[in-house]
Amino acid sequence: MINKNRIKHPDLAKVLAAAIATSACGTEINNHFYGPDGEEISEIGNCDEFKGKHISYAGECNAGTSEPVGRDCSITFVDGNIPESKYVGFVAGRTIHMQGGARNGKPYDPVTIELFLPGEFTIDDIDASIYAPESQRYLAEKFMCYFTKDPDLLAVRFNGQPKIKASVANVFRQTNRPFSRRDCEANDKENSQWYKQCSRR
């Protein structure tokens, strides 16, 4: 079972989209990161599992890394539509800590993304409550199915939410290739076998 985390904030997709829309860039990491309560997070350096890997949104193809996770565990996401826009952070273990960026001089709160490999979560860790009651079980099972069809997929949980949302927005991918919107869309929720095979007809 996954553990709870106390940081709370809207999904990174919303924050990232807003930051990218204004071409907001994050600040240099320098091995320091401050959480929403002002606490310092300094866990850089223990991301061996993801060093040299690329991470991107698998279902929606709206962002990913153009450079692999660095030897210092730094990570930079670029937008699929505006490649020059960047959103920076670092990986600590299985958690990505992202700088929030700013819009009209007002900064966003920091964002965390917890990464889960296939087999590290169960259907009890999935939240499908946003859907109609009669569809919740099916959609939770469908979400779980994705990770049996593609071993490169990662489930993600934003900002310490109690559970992983049963949504393609919570499906990321780790690869050895830089993010390309065209490559991603060839294997996204519309075109991929992992999505199609898990959809009942």
Side-chain angles (χ1 to χ4, degrees):
M1 298 289 287
I2 55 182
N3 295 320
K4 293 184 178 179
N5 182 309
R6 61 195 176 86
I7 299 175
K8 301 183 187 305
H9 190 273
D11 289 351
L12 173 65
K14 296 176 184 176
V15 177
L16 179 58
I20 285 173
T22 59
S23 297
C25 294
T27 58
E28 189 175 348
I29 298 304
N30 292 327
N31 294 338
H32 293 281
F33 184 87
Y34 296 92
D37 298 323
E39 73 277 18
E40 183 174 359
I41 302 168
S42 56
E43 301 174 46
I44 271 190
N46 62 342
C47 67
D48 288 349
E49 191 169 2
F50 296 104
K51 284 180 183 177
K53 292 285 189 179
H54 287 275
I55 299 174
S56 63
Y57 283 79
E60 298 188 335
C61 296
N62 55 2
T65 55
S66 59
E67 299 293 332
V69 174
R71 293 179 65 184
D72 63 351
C73 298
S74 60
I75 189 168
T76 302
F77 281 91
V78 296
D79 184 346
N81 294 316
I82 313 170
E84 63 273 13
S85 296
K86 302 185 186 306
Y87 198 80
V88 302
F90 69 88
V91 183
R94 291 285 187 81
T95 302
I96 301 174
H97 296 279
M98 302 299 294
Q99 299 295 318
R103 185 174 185 179
N104 299 326
K106 182 178 179 181
Y108 289 106
D109 291 336
V111 178
T112 62
I113 311 167
E114 295 172 84
L115 307 170
F116 299 93
L117 296 170
E120 294 183 335
F121 54 95
T122 71
I123 198 165
D124 292 331
D125 297 312
I126 306 304
D127 178 10
S129 62
I130 62 172
Y131 304 107
E134 62 273 17
S135 301
Q136 290 177 7
R137 183 70 183 186
Y138 158 63
L139 292 169
E141 290 173 351
K142 179 179 177 181
F143 184 85
M144 291 295 296
C145 176
Y146 299 155
F147 304 92
T148 68
K149 303 300 181 184
D150 189 331
D152 292 329
L153 296 182
L154 301 165
V156 301
R157 183 176 66 174
F158 291 99
N159 301 304
Q161 294 173 338
K163 295 189 175 186
I164 300 166
K165 301 292 185 184
S167 166
V168 291
N170 289 61
V171 180
F172 279 36
R173 177 183 299 283
Q174 61 174 337
T175 70
N176 295 317
R177 295 168 52 105
F179 171 74
S180 158
R181 186 168 191 127
R182 182 170 64 180
D183 289 349
C184 182
E185 287 178 346
N187 198 28
D188 69 0
K189 64 182 180 181
E190 301 299 331
N191 302 301
S192 68
Q193 291 303 308
W194 61 264
Y195 187 84
K196 290 177 179 177
Q197 289 179 14
C198 295
S199 298
R200 294 179 186 163
R201 302 198 179 273

